[in-house]
Amino acid sequence: MSIPLFVGDAYLVAWLPEFWFGVVVFTLAMYVFLDGFDFGIGIVYPLARDEHERETLLAAFGPVWKANEVWLVGFGTILLGAFPPVYARLLSEHYLLAIAIVLALLFRGVSVKLREERDDEAWVRTCDRAFVAGSVISPFLIGTLVGSWVFASGTASVPALATGVLLVALSATSGTAYLGMKTRGDLRDRIADYGRLAGTIYLGAVVLVLGVLLALDVRGLRALVFTPGVLVPVVATVGFGIATVALASRRAYREWLAATAGLSVSLVGLVAALLYPTIYPAAELTVREAVVSPIPLNLLTVLGLPVLLLVVGYFLYLYRVFEGPVDVEEDEGGYGVGDD
């Protein structure tokens, strides 16, 4: 009697390749949302009025920002494990952009660490500027890479660059919503105003990107835009964008953060809708053509899926531990408790 896992020409279930395509999309959505609000904190960082506010913003994401980057590693690892031709093409055809992304992420991370090493004003301000620059450049480059991948348009194309602008705007929206949960008083009130502005800019960026894509008819989008698979995430993206502006205006902080999560999910859902069933449009590779053979995918399912579930559980625990507003004068890691 053969064990299904080791039957060479059969997946554990017939839809396993599509399932792992969904897992790739899931990890990308998690990264866009979680590291997106890290980027967003850096984007609004120059608006802090004094050192106490700057330390509050840094403390808000201090315990979680390294963990959030796990989702970028997870995205790459799963793409390599399940769809190695896509991983290989994505990196080899965008290797300069990939290197620039790594450098921007390093630039941003190192600046926060070096900031604490010296007390003189010039050093601290230089590190702050590096942090802000890395927080803007990183999502712009990541968005450009995703745009080039999805639209098969090349790195320096208008659709790819417009996607980069869109991700910067999304990050600012997510960052302000997260800070709405982590701050108090006058700073929190101003963050809500920034969030309303960020949401408005995001909606403008959505209009810009859709206008560019429809004007250029990228990948035949004019014909696709009214199909349910594309229209639903487009409407959801605009709807959640309007909701973020309205909820920021009402100071409904929990609902505002939930709406920004929906914003990230709907945007990545649109990416999935534009890709599927082709997972790498530039080479016209479909999910079924790019997926690994049954035995390695079956092994990935049996061995990798429990790890992924463990990571999800770990994040639920992590955010439960560090929930609540931050107070840089608190002794316990800068985190107060309770009120939001």
Side-chain angles (χ1 to χ4, degrees):
M1 179 179 175
S2 59
I3 302 173
L5 182 64
F6 299 109
V7 175
D9 59 353
Y11 295 110
L12 290 174
V13 291
W15 41 266
L16 202 57
E18 286 75 20
F19 171 79
W20 279 101
F21 173 73
V23 175
V24 168
V25 172
F26 169 74
T27 55
L28 181 61
M30 291 294 287
Y31 179 71
V32 166
F33 176 57
L34 294 179
D35 218 23
F37 65 64
D38 294 344
F39 295 138
I41 291 172
I43 293 169
V44 300
Y45 186 78
L47 300 175
R49 292 178 175 173
D50 53 36
E51 185 62 18
H52 183 273
E53 288 190 356
R54 283 188 282 273
E55 290 184 0
T56 299
L57 299 191
L58 292 175
F61 78 124
V64 298
W65 72 290
K66 289 180 181 175
N68 291 340
E69 292 182 346
V70 164
W71 290 104
L72 181 60
V73 177
F75 167 76
T77 303
I78 293 171
L79 195 63
L80 173 63
F83 305 99
V86 178
Y87 180 88
R89 283 182 173 273
L90 196 60
L91 290 187
S92 64
E93 295 176 9
H94 302 87
Y95 67 96
L96 289 178
L97 187 55
I99 292 172
I101 290 171
V102 172
L103 291 176
L105 290 172
L106 284 173
F107 199 58
R108 169 175 163 270
V110 168
S111 64
V112 175
K113 292 296 182 185
L114 292 181
R115 188 182 194 277
E116 308 298 328
E117 299 301 319
R118 289 171 54 180
D119 292 330
D120 65 275
E121 184 72 12
W123 174 265
V124 171
R125 294 288 81 81
T126 299
C127 291
D128 285 347
R129 284 190 283 272
F131 172 57
V132 174
S135 298
V136 174
I137 294 171
S138 297
F140 175 73
L141 295 179
I142 292 170
T144 301
L145 176 62
V146 172
S148 178
W149 171 24
V150 174
F151 302 121
S153 57
T155 301
S157 65
V158 173
L161 296 175
T163 307
V165 172
L166 183 64
L167 195 59
V168 173
L170 175 61
S171 298
T173 304
S174 301
T176 51
Y178 182 71
L179 287 173
M181 297 291 295
K182 311 304 287 185
T183 54
R184 294 183 172 110
D186 175 65
L187 176 59
R188 190 187 208 189
D189 200 45
R190 283 189 287 117
I191 288 292
D193 291 336
Y194 302 152
R196 185 174 54 190
L197 176 62
T200 304
I201 293 173
Y202 174 78
L203 286 171
V206 169
V207 172
L208 169 70
V209 173
L210 286 175
V212 166
L213 298 178
L214 291 173
L216 299 178
D217 196 23
V218 179
R219 296 191 58 210
L221 191 63
R222 288 176 194 164
L224 292 173
V225 72
F226 293 111
T227 60
V230 174
L231 185 60
V232 169
V234 167
V235 171
T237 299
V238 175
F240 278 120
I242 294 171
T244 60
V245 175
L247 293 168
S249 300
R250 292 175 52 194
R251 274 48 172 175
Y253 295 102
R254 284 189 181 277
E255 294 81 2
W256 178 21
L257 183 62
T260 59
L263 204 57
S264 300
V265 170
S266 58
L267 186 63
V268 176
L270 179 59
V271 167
L274 292 173
L275 280 175
Y276 189 79
T278 305
I279 192 172
Y280 199 80
E284 297 184 352
L285 269 177
T286 66
V287 169
R288 287 279 168 172
E289 291 169 340
V291 73
V292 292
S293 57
I295 288 180
L297 196 65
N298 292 343
L299 284 170
L300 182 64
T301 304
V302 173
L303 301 177
L305 204 54
V307 175
L308 183 63
L309 295 175
L310 193 63
V311 171
V312 172
Y314 167 74
F315 269 77
L316 292 174
Y317 173 75
L318 180 69
Y319 278 86
R320 180 72 182 87
V321 169
F322 291 106
E323 71 175 350
V326 293
D327 187 340
V328 293
E329 295 173 358
E330 289 278 347
D331 293 332
E332 296 179 3
Y335 272 74
V337 292
D339 60 309
D340 57 358

